[in-house]
Amino acid sequence: MNVNIGTYSFGGIASYLGLGPSLKEKFETAKALGFTGVELLPVDLDNDVEDIKKWAQECGLEIVSVHAKPTEEIVKKMAALGGKAVIWASTDFCNKEEAIEVAHELDAMAEMAEPYGIKIGYHNHSKEFYMDQGLPLLEHVANNSSKCYFQLDCGWTMNAGTYPPSFIRRYKNRIVAIHVKENAKVQGPGPQPRSAHAEGTHESPFAHVKEMSLEERQAMLDQYNARNQSPEGKKKFEVQCKIGAPESNMDWQEIKNALDEQDFEAFWVVEREGFYGDHDQCLREDCAWIKENIH
């Protein structure tokens, strides 16, 4: 079974900011840990496309996707890299009406990407399972779009209280990929998310990384690290247990069974924010456990 990893897992927020290991070094580590492909971040595409292709080929890795708001420039790069999808990692919407707006925006992005052979997907966190008018917000998106796909983050889905295989079967042939993230506790979707029409900026905080100095990037990283080390931050990530652990509430084989009912193969991407023990050993065990236990 092919198992991919997001470059986000090598540094988290630091990776979004272009800090830490180079992309080539991340590829080399991914291969050494047993992975067969990678999911990129926007900052990774600041490298020359031909260099990315060369590094991936040297490591025997496939480029499967990128986490970025879909633009034609990014779609073109992903097509040139032989990728499958551009995944919108998150955006603000707080009710059914705004979910419908997102659905229509995703469909427009999907129409743009169709000539390039690239699928457009949306990646959820827990907040997209906030209920409005009888359904989770993510289902309002799914029910009002016809061309977009989903990269179901199974850990955050279960953390919000939704059983991933049920969602996969309910939206058969709409799941282009999953994020493999362990979870040991249902915490719920949290309070109503921020409105798309609230005052202030709604673009990604990493949208202008290229224009930021190293000092500005480091200051932003320090802010995120402080937030993640706060009691609320630790509570959020401490539920990510060892894969297959007794306390896990994930059923990865049933997730695979549900995905196998689709007419195409969804790809799996390991993504972690919560690590136990040694960082690389944790990721190596994630990869090995999936290959050994999921059939």
Side-chain angles (χ1 to χ4, degrees), residues 187-207:
Q187 295 176 314
Q192 185 175 26
R194 186 181 184 217
S195 169
H197 305 294
E199 291 185 6
T201 182
H202 292 273
E203 68 180 358
S204 165
F206 313 109

Side-chain angles (χ1 to χ4, degrees), residues 38-114:
V38 290
E39 178 174 78
L40 304 178
L41 293 173
V43 70
D44 296 329
L45 294 179
D46 291 344
N47 292 280
D48 184 81
V49 166
E50 291 305 315
D51 284 338
I52 298 173
K53 288 170 67 174
K54 181 182 72 172
W55 299 333
Q57 289 168 358
E58 288 173 351
C59 293
L61 294 172
E62 178 185 13
I63 307 293
V64 293
S65 52
V66 62
H67 256 205
K69 183 173 182 178
T71 64
E72 190 162 12
E73 179 186 6
I74 287 175
V75 166
K76 284 181 179 179
K77 287 183 178 180
M78 190 51 42
L81 291 168
K84 302 174 182 178
V86 176
I87 309 294
W88 198 2
S90 185
T91 192
D92 292 326
F93 57 103
C94 71
N95 55 31
K96 178 181 178 180
E97 289 74 19
E98 292 186 6
I100 292 172
E101 293 173 6
V102 172
H104 293 168
E105 189 172 5
L106 283 163
D107 275 357
M109 293 169 172
E111 288 182 9
M112 172 271 293
E114 279 179 355

Side-chain angles (χ1 to χ4, degrees), residues 16-292:
Y16 264 111
L17 293 167
L19 301 173
S22 68
L23 184 59
K24 184 175 185 290
E25 290 169 334
K26 291 176 183 178
F27 283 0
E28 291 169 347
T29 302
K31 183 62 176 180
L33 297 179
F35 293 95
T36 54
V38 290
E39 178 174 78
L40 304 178
L41 293 173
V43 70
D44 296 329
L45 294 179
D46 291 344
N47 292 280
D48 184 81
V49 166
E50 291 305 315
D51 284 338
I52 298 173
K53 288 170 67 174
K54 181 182 72 172
W55 299 333
Q57 289 168 358
E58 288 173 351
C59 293
L61 294 172
E62 178 185 13
I63 307 293
V64 293
S65 52
V66 62
H67 256 205
K69 183 173 182 178
T71 64
E72 190 162 12
E73 179 186 6
I74 287 175
V75 166
K76 284 181 179 179
K77 287 183 178 180
M78 190 51 42
L81 291 168
K84 302 174 182 178
V86 176
I87 309 294
W88 198 2
S90 185
T91 192
D92 292 326
F93 57 103
C94 71
N95 55 31
K96 178 181 178 180
E97 289 74 19
E98 292 186 6
I100 292 172
E101 293 173 6
V102 172
H104 293 168
E105 189 172 5
L106 283 163
D107 275 357
M109 293 169 172
E111 288 182 9
M112 172 271 293
E114 279 179 355
Y116 299 98
I118 296 295
K119 291 182 170 65
I120 298 299
Y122 186 85
H123 169 276
N124 65 281
H125 296 89
S126 296
K127 67 177 185 178
E128 285 88 356
F129 291 93
Y130 180 85
M131 298 287 290
D132 185 54
Q133 297 189 39
L135 286 176
L137 296 180
L138 193 64
E139 294 200 28
H140 286 307
V141 174
N143 293 342
N144 290 279
S145 65
S146 60
K147 295 180 178 293
C148 78
Y149 294 82
F150 295 92
Q151 181 185 66
L152 192 71
D153 189 307
C154 294
W156 289 132
T157 299
M158 192 67 194
N159 187 263
T162 294
Y163 185 55
S166 296
F167 186 94
I168 292 167
R169 290 189 168 103
R170 191 151 53 248
Y171 295 101
K172 180 182 176 181
N173 291 329
R174 302 286 300 280
I175 313 298
V176 67
I178 64 166
H179 264 186
V180 178
K181 180 177 285 131
E182 263 298 352
N183 182 70
K185 187 176 181 181
V186 173
Q187 295 176 314
Q192 185 175 26
R194 186 181 184 217
S195 169
H197 305 294
E199 291 185 6
T201 182
H202 292 273
E203 68 180 358
S204 165
F206 313 109
H208 303 290
V209 166
K210 283 195 290 186
E211 294 90 51
M212 295 170 62
S213 67
L214 285 176
E215 291 77 11
E216 290 171 324
R217 297 184 196 194
Q218 186 61 52
M220 182 180 286
L221 178 60
D222 291 342
Q223 290 176 350
Y224 273 94
N225 285 340
R227 187 182 72 179
N228 291 340
Q229 289 302 311
S230 69
E232 189 62 30
K234 290 181 178 180
K235 177 183 175 183
K236 181 179 179 182
F237 297 129
E238 67 186 4
V239 299
Q240 293 178 27
C241 60
K242 183 174 182 177
I243 192 165
E247 63 269 28
S248 168
N249 58 15
M250 305 298 297
D251 189 339
W252 294 110
Q253 184 59 56
E254 189 57 21
I255 288 169
K256 173 68 161 52
N257 294 343
L259 290 170
D260 285 347
E261 295 170 13
Q262 295 193 140
D263 297 331
F264 59 86
E265 184 177 1
F267 56 92
W268 291 40
V269 180
V270 168
E271 183 192 64
R272 270 195 182 270
E273 297 96 351
F275 294 86
Y276 56 88
D278 178 73
H279 173 280
D280 285 2
Q281 183 62 24
C282 175
L283 294 173
R284 180 182 288 108
E285 290 178 0
D286 283 347
C287 184
W289 189 92
I290 295 166
K291 290 181 177 181
E292 292 170 7

